[in-house]
Amino acid sequence: MEWLVSLTGMPAGAFGVFTSGGTEANLSAMVTAREHWRDRDERNSKTRGIVIASNGAHSSIKAMAKVIDADVLLIETESRLESSHLAETLSRMSAKDRRRVFAVIATAGTTNAGIIDDLAGIANICRSEGIWFHVDAAYGGGALAARSVRHFFNGIEEADSVTIDPHKWLFSPYDCGAIIYRDPELAKKAHAQEGSYLDIFSDEGAQGFNPSDYQIQLTRRVRGLPLWFSLAMYGTDRYETAIERGIDLARIAGRLISATYYTELVREPSLSCVLFRRLGWTPEDYRNWTYRNHKSGFALVAPTKVRRRFLK
Ligand SMILES: Cc1ncc(COP(=O)(O)O)c(C=O)c1O
């Protein structure tokens, strides 16, 4: 976890815990943000909150907003979410709705296209507006270890919370996500469960740190262990090499696609995502091709939609 936190560049005191995945990490962050917003102002105690994100945000944001009964305001963008989009959205809101905004969620590596939002600009607005800034780097977070693209993440160090899934681009087996907080005490306030039989787990005898206090789950397995073993075995440099190789492969694939007359690059590869179409194909053609590749053990290339259109 110290290594993950160091990749973000968040200040001393920031720390995190492992979760079942990005969905649970995002949920834990949203609960922390919402509780903090309510703690700061009594008037929010019965108000339904609003989370702002972009249309590129992962489906778990909408799903988890349902769990906490919050509204999600999605800003439509063709590419990355810019700070100007956020500023404009906030300025157009009524004073009443503006007070309901308790978090902005930027994505650092959208699942569909590998897009990284303008983290530094969004962080500035959140700071001056007093809004919790969460970065969902569930997929893209692995690339924090890759020097060639690290600058695209500038501003992540300003986040109040960051989701990174080691079970995505950090090669861990499934069931290993992580949520990192700038101020873990706020997470503890939101999540720590009370029960006289639980007190023993948080006293000094239990080293005073109980991961259950910082996310939604109480009884949990040692989720960070597979990542730790892998790091102990290979070392962090091997991670950087492997991630850089993934980024290179995406660029090589992009060049080959551009050079082939029957395929078209939809946008320049970003991180490890390569969006392309095969001219003239129908959704069925993509589906059949995906299954054929998968069943033969050759590759898993998932069909997707961009701007709600199938790539054809
Ligand atoms: C950006 C992003 N956030 C959250 C998630 C959800 O993660 P999980 O499937 O580990 O719950 C994903 C999964 O693809 C993702 O790409």
Side-chain angles (χ1 to χ4, degrees), residues 8 17 25 47 69 84 95 99 101 111 153 157 172 185 200 206 231 245 251 264 304 312:
T8 67
V17 291
T47 307
D69 202 24
S84 55
R99 274 199 303 276
V101 178
T111 321
F153 293 85
E157 69 285 356
S172 278
E185 279 311 300
I200 188 71
L231 280 167
R245 179 70 182 143
R251 289 182 187 140
E264 188 178 85
T304 190
K312 69 173 181 181

Side-chain angles (χ1 to χ4, degrees), residues 276-278 280-296 299-305 308-312:
F276 67 100
R277 76 177 119 212
R278 178 151 171 170
W281 268 18
T282 64
E284 282 65 42
D285 292 327
Y286 287 104
R287 202 168 298 121
N288 295 339
W289 181 68
T290 293
Y291 280 124
R292 221 172 32 246
N293 284 334
H294 188 216
K295 280 187 185 137
S296 71
L300 178 58
V301 185
T304 190
K305 290 175 192 166
R308 304 192 188 287
R309 288 200 304 271
F310 232 102
L311 297 181
K312 69 173 181 181

Side-chain angles (χ1 to χ4, degrees), residues 80-237:
R80 68 174 196 168
L81 178 65
E82 302 287 349
S83 55
S84 55
H85 300 147
L86 176 62
E88 202 187 311
T89 302
L90 288 170
S91 72
R92 273 195 273 109
M93 294 178 94
S94 67
K96 192 164 162 240
D97 278 350
R98 168 63 194 83
R99 274 199 303 276
R100 292 171 56 210
V101 178
F102 69 88
V104 170
I105 300 181
T107 311
T110 60
T111 321
N112 218 24
I115 293 168
I116 302 167
D117 291 337
D118 170 18
L119 305 181
I122 296 168
N124 271 340
I125 296 183
C126 288
R127 203 61 64 216
S128 64
E129 296 280 325
I131 303 172
W132 187 280
F133 177 40
H134 176 66
V135 177
D136 181 0
Y139 146 62
L144 289 166
R147 251 160 275 196
S148 70
V149 293
R150 180 58 182 83
H151 56 284
F152 293 121
F153 293 85
N154 286 350
I156 197 169
E157 69 285 356
E158 299 295 329
D160 292 296
S161 50
V162 176
T163 291
I164 299 178
D165 271 2
H167 73 193
K168 292 193 168 66
W169 211 357
L170 290 170
F171 312 104
S172 278
Y174 282 165
D175 205 330
C176 187
I179 179 67
I180 298 167
Y181 301 99
R182 183 180 205 80
D183 180 354
E185 279 311 300
L186 298 177
K188 191 171 180 180
K189 224 168 150 198
H191 290 287
Q193 298 190 25
E194 281 171 20
S196 46
Y197 84 101
L198 291 172
D199 289 351
I200 188 71
F201 295 113
S202 50
D203 74 5
E204 284 308 303
Q207 295 167 354
F209 180 76
N210 182 357
S212 299
D213 287 343
Y214 302 86
Q215 41 73 60
I216 61 161
Q217 196 176 5
L218 186 61
T219 304
R220 53 208 299 286
R221 67 194 195 90
V222 191
R223 293 211 164 90
L225 206 57
L227 174 64
W228 184 85
F229 272 123
S230 179
L231 280 167
M233 179 77 193
Y234 297 109
T236 53
D237 288 355

